[in-house]
Amino acid sequence: MMQFLDPRRDEPVRIRSLPGLMQIGRRGLLGAGAAGLLLGAGGKAFCQLAVDITQGVVEPIPIAISPFAAGGGQGATLAGQIPDVISANLDGSGLFRTIDRQAYIQGPEELRGMPRFADWRQINAQALVSGVVEETPGGIGVEFRLWDVLGGQQMTGLRIDAPAASWRRIAHRISDAIYERITGEKGYFDTRIVYVSETGPKAKRITRIALMDQDGANHRFLTDGRELTFGPRFSPDGRRVAYLLYRGMRPRVYMRDIEGGREQVLIDTPRMNFAPRFSPDGQTALVTVNEDGDFNIVAVDLATRQQRRITSGGGISTSPSFSPDGRRIVFNSDRSGRPHLFVTGAQGGPAERISYGDGQYGSPAWSPRGDLIAFVNIKQRYFHIGVMRPDGSDERLITRSWQDEAPTWAPNGRVVIFQRTEPGGTTKRLYAIDVSGYNERLVPTPLDASDPDWSGLLP
Amino acid sequence: MVAVTALAVVRPRAMNCRGAKSSWELPMKLTLLPVAATALLLAACSSTPSSDETSGAGGMTTSDASSLTSGPVAGSQADLEQNVGDRVYFGFDSSTLDETARSTLQRQATWLQQFPSVSATVEGHTDERGTREYNLALGERRASAAARYLSSLGVPESRLMTISYGKDRPADPGSSEEAWALNRRAVTVINATN
């Protein structure tokens, strides 16, 4: 049994796997024993339904997501809402296409047992999600099962017990389980996004740090807009945020706990510092510090606040990003003329230039998988989001617009979120795109939005 | 059983579009109005301070209605703007002070020495054609270049602060080459006196 804490409430949520349902004999070809063997194993070896998302464009898998069965009361509402959230997540990924519920033949109550797979094959479903919601003394218990319709077997099943208020997180955990079972990659649905919310005219923007679930739900502001603020970043555990704040005419990096924390300056210096990034182990933060008009990256030990220099010399070095193993840092520097990308060790030292294309490069972001670095490339009047390997090879541009910038990664390294500014420079929106360059989609925000950062999977 | 078809990778449409080199990447030749004329023009736009940069500073001395007839109060922001020139401009991705910038700063230095109780913040800005973080650095580098030059001309460092707003406080909200040239700037703003 796994246990995790809801960071919003610190209430326990319990998750355990469900064994396969036993076949009760009257289903045609398979006897009970054989079915038990097949289903109980939940084994990959038997499973036919799988998709390799590393291959670029994939035809979305038609999936039926049934309303869940419910005992009544609060469960009845959630029995419709939880599948809705799952559908929105899976459809948004571009890898799935939810089949219209109107077409479903078998009802939720009947789906407490084995599905009639023939009914689901008839509407061309390749996968089926069924579930049950029941009220419990501690809140709700949700069981869900993912079925391979053509293979006629359960692929995975989970029971999640949690406070009813955490129902969206339950839906996200189920979505992650489905995504992972079918793609073989971790999901990214039980996550949050922190970003800069912007309002007002271009020359007098008001900016606030905002936080929301990955799908835009539970939106709230962390700062009040009285002071200009940019560039928020999550700590690896998702509990803290660091950002640039213009307080008292001194733009510096501040840090706070998301829940009830008070803002605290990262380093006690009057010098401008900005562009905070946490190390993967959460023990260090990188910041860019003004040294008389030159800018260098400094590592700050979060326990002792001792500083260690990562880059040195004249010019501008900023926008660092750690490799997921914490051993290397990619950053942006104009040391060779125009702004380009460089890689150095986590302790600093010699830096190797990795970008050699036309135009300017900026905002490198190392994928959590370690295999790619996302970046901004500005040339020919367009801003592009691109990806390259950490040695600079295999560069590909995956977006183009008047102004695309600030890429960061979903925790599974398959999706990049970035900021798109419409021509004219005031309308700013967040977009997500698969690393393949497909399935570009708007990430809805209530106001203009910039500088997104994607949390890891919530603990 | 289930047939999942993975199609071959199609190249994203943005790739391989190598057109003519864009003009903004080339060394720019923009004709800027002489500083005094620019200042007049800006002042003419509005009777309130025309620059947007005061937001953070909380401190430009504004000329009130009566001063419209008598001219700006000596030692005020309006005085600096109209009679000296409060800003200098930079080339694309550059923090180098050109001859025009240096002569404006020389006048600023003389003016600041006339009013020894005045302290100022040099605000550095960029155009919007870059990333936010790089531009925060570039803006500060421009402010520092201007402030260093002022102090080399005898303005005590203790009277000068710098701050960068990067690309997020444009003077001209437009998105033309002309607007971008006006936004690549360092503006000297008189600090409020308490």
Side-chain angles (χ1 to χ4, degrees):
Chain A
M1 185 180 295
M2 289 191 291
Q3 216 171 11
F4 70 84
L5 294 179
D6 186 326
R8 275 178 217 112
R9 296 181 187 80
D10 278 357
E11 287 166 340
V13 176
R14 290 190 312 281
I15 302 182
R16 63 190 165 84
S17 329
L18 293 177
L21 291 176
M22 289 301 283
Q23 189 89 9
I24 325 211
R26 64 186 174 81
R27 281 212 21 90
L29 296 175
L30 296 175
L37 187 72
L38 255 178
L39 303 173
K44 248 182 175 152
F46 297 101
C47 170
Q48 301 296 311
L49 180 55
V51 55
D52 181 357
I53 60 175
T54 64
Q55 295 300 308
V57 164
V58 171
E59 195 62 32
I61 294 175
I63 186 169
I65 300 174
S66 168
F68 286 6
Q74 193 173 20
T77 317
L78 295 179
Q81 288 174 326
I82 289 172
D84 284 346
V85 170
I86 298 169
S87 289
N89 282 338
L90 295 180
D91 289 354
S93 77
L95 302 175
F96 299 87
R97 177 177 58 76
T98 305
I99 297 166
D100 188 349
R101 278 184 198 168
Q102 305 287 332
Y104 301 175
I105 301 161
Q106 195 176 15
E109 284 302 323
E110 288 179 278
L111 275 174
R112 285 178 186 263
M114 286 290 284
R116 289 194 304 270
F117 291 110
D119 288 2
W120 300 100
R121 280 182 210 122
Q122 199 175 323
I123 61 168
N124 297 317
Q126 292 189 7
L128 166 66
V129 176
S130 66
V132 179
V133 183
E134 61 181 29
E135 291 190 39
T136 61
I140 51 172
V142 180
E143 290 184 7
F144 103 96
R145 293 172 198 275
L146 170 67
W147 306 93
D148 177 350
V149 171
L150 302 192
Q153 58 180 312
Q154 177 177 317
M155 295 180 76
T156 188
L158 288 179
R159 180 185 170 92
I160 304 178
D161 283 281
S166 298
W167 71 270
R168 294 192 73 94
R169 287 206 59 198
I170 295 173
H172 294 319
R173 293 297 283 247
I174 293 173
S175 307
D176 283 330
I178 295 167
Y179 182 100
E180 181 172 358
R181 189 66 185 83
I182 292 181
T183 67
E185 305 274 342
K186 286 273 182 203
Y188 54 84
F189 302 115
D190 191 23
T191 56
R192 294 198 275 183
I193 290 165
V194 66
Y195 73 97
V196 172
S197 176
E198 302 192 14
T199 52
K202 192 172 177 182
K204 277 205 165 186
R205 296 294 264 189
I206 292 167
T207 61
R208 287 179 286 180
I209 305 297
L211 178 72
M212 62 186 187
D213 293 350
Q214 145 281 133
D215 60 356
N218 293 313
H219 189 281
R220 63 184 162 123
F221 296 105
L222 297 182
T223 63
D224 61 13
R226 276 183 296 188
E227 294 151 322
L228 202 57
T229 179
F230 300 125
R233 296 288 172 152
F234 281 112
S235 61
D237 64 6
R239 288 174 181 266
R240 277 189 293 178
V241 180
Y243 43 86
L244 168 62
L245 187 67
Y246 282 65
R247 175 160 294 168
M249 288 293 282
R250 287 204 174 125
R252 293 187 289 181
V253 170
Y254 287 76
M255 225 163 40
R256 58 173 280 178
D257 290 339
I258 288 173
E259 296 312 321
R262 160 177 84 76
E263 267 160 359
Q264 196 188 13
V265 75
L266 177 66
I267 45 174
D268 190 16
T269 169
R271 291 172 171 178
M272 177 187 196
N273 55 86
F274 62 101
R277 308 285 195 272
F278 288 93
S279 60
D281 65 8
Q283 306 204 339
T284 305
L286 301 178
V287 283
T288 302
V289 180
N290 176 21
E291 298 173 338
D292 245 2
D294 289 328
F295 285 82
N296 279 301
I297 299 163
V298 165
V300 182
D301 183 309
L302 292 175
T304 65
R305 300 295 158 110
Q306 279 189 327
Q307 297 175 35
R308 191 161 38 79
R309 172 176 289 278
I310 302 297
T311 67
S312 51
I316 295 169
S317 293
T318 186
S319 299
S321 177
F322 275 101
S323 63
D325 63 8
R327 296 163 83 169
R328 286 183 291 170
I329 295 167
V330 61
F331 63 98
N332 188 204
S333 176
D334 66 350
R335 60 183 64 187
S336 59
R338 288 194 178 286
H340 273 284
L341 308 183
F342 294 80
V343 171
T344 188
Q347 310 299 320
E352 185 198 350
R353 179 171 158 186
I354 61 164
S355 65
Y356 285 94
D358 294 341
Q360 294 170 259
Y361 287 79
S363 299
W366 212 308
S367 159
R369 298 170 66 90
D371 57 343
L372 293 171
I373 290 168
F375 56 85
V376 174
N377 176 238
I378 307 168
K379 66 179 170 197
Q380 294 155 5
R381 292 188 168 268
Y382 291 104
F383 278 51
H384 308 262
I385 304 298
V387 293
M388 61 171 66
R389 293 192 189 284
D391 64 1
S393 64
D394 291 346
E395 178 175 336
R396 286 188 290 132
L397 300 180
I398 59 173
T399 78
R400 179 179 70 165
S401 90
W402 188 72
Q403 206 161 296
D404 285 350
E405 60 187 303
T408 52
W409 293 87
N412 71 353
R414 289 292 171 206
V415 182
V416 173
I417 189 169
F418 62 96
Q419 157 201 345
R420 170 164 294 167
T421 308
E422 302 297 335
T426 43
T427 303
K428 300 180 184 180
R429 297 283 182 259
L430 303 185
Y431 281 82
I433 189 167
D434 292 359
V435 67
S436 59
Y438 290 91
N439 192 32
E440 183 180 288
R441 67 267 193 194
L442 181 75
V443 177
T445 51
L447 301 163
D448 287 322
S450 59
D451 288 355
D453 189 34
W454 209 320
S455 79
L457 285 169
L458 295 178
Chain B
M1 307 282 266
V2 177
V4 178
T5 320
L7 302 179
V9 179
V10 177
R11 312 298 275 177
R13 58 197 179 290
M15 296 193 51
N16 300 329
C17 46
R18 300 195 189 281
K21 200 162 173 65
S22 70
S23 64
W24 65 267
E25 285 190 287
L26 299 171
M28 245 182 263
K29 278 201 193 120
L30 279 164
T31 317
L32 290 175
L33 296 173
V35 172
T38 309
L40 281 173
L41 207 145
L42 288 168
C45 293
S46 161
S47 60
T48 54
S50 55
S51 64
D52 49 282
E53 297 79 17
T54 51
S55 52
M60 80 163 40
T61 316
T62 57
S63 47
D64 59 24
S66 64
S67 67
L68 284 177
T69 47
S70 56
V73 175
S76 69
Q77 184 71 28
D79 183 22
L80 178 66
E81 262 182 63
Q82 293 174 34
N83 300 324
V84 178
D86 67 339
R87 62 194 61 198
V88 296
Y89 299 98
F90 298 86
F92 177 72
D93 195 22
S94 165
S95 50
T96 305
L97 299 167
D98 64 13
E99 217 167 289
T100 314
R102 282 201 300 274
S103 80
T104 303
L105 292 168
Q106 284 157 16
R107 289 197 305 278
Q108 284 186 11
T110 309
W111 184 86
L112 283 163
Q113 279 158 339
Q114 274 182 294
F115 304 101
S117 65
V118 166
S119 69
T121 299
V122 184
E123 300 180 344
H125 301 271
T126 70
D127 66 32
E128 64 194 346
R129 304 303 285 172
T131 66
R132 183 174 264 164
E133 286 179 338
Y134 184 82
N135 278 335
L136 283 171
L138 182 57
E140 179 66 33
R141 198 196 236 177
R142 286 173 177 163
S144 296
R148 263 203 304 267
Y149 191 62
L150 286 173
S151 64
S152 79
L153 296 169
V155 181
E157 271 181 51
S158 59
R159 289 171 58 195
L160 295 171
M161 287 178 64
T162 59
I163 193 168
S164 171
Y165 293 100
K167 63 176 175 176
D168 284 280
R169 285 285 183 265
D172 185 327
S175 292
S176 60
E177 298 286 357
E178 292 72 21
W180 294 336
L182 288 171
N183 291 336
R184 293 190 294 263
R185 69 203 193 278
V187 184
T188 303
V189 178
I190 305 311
N191 294 338
T193 49
N194 297 311

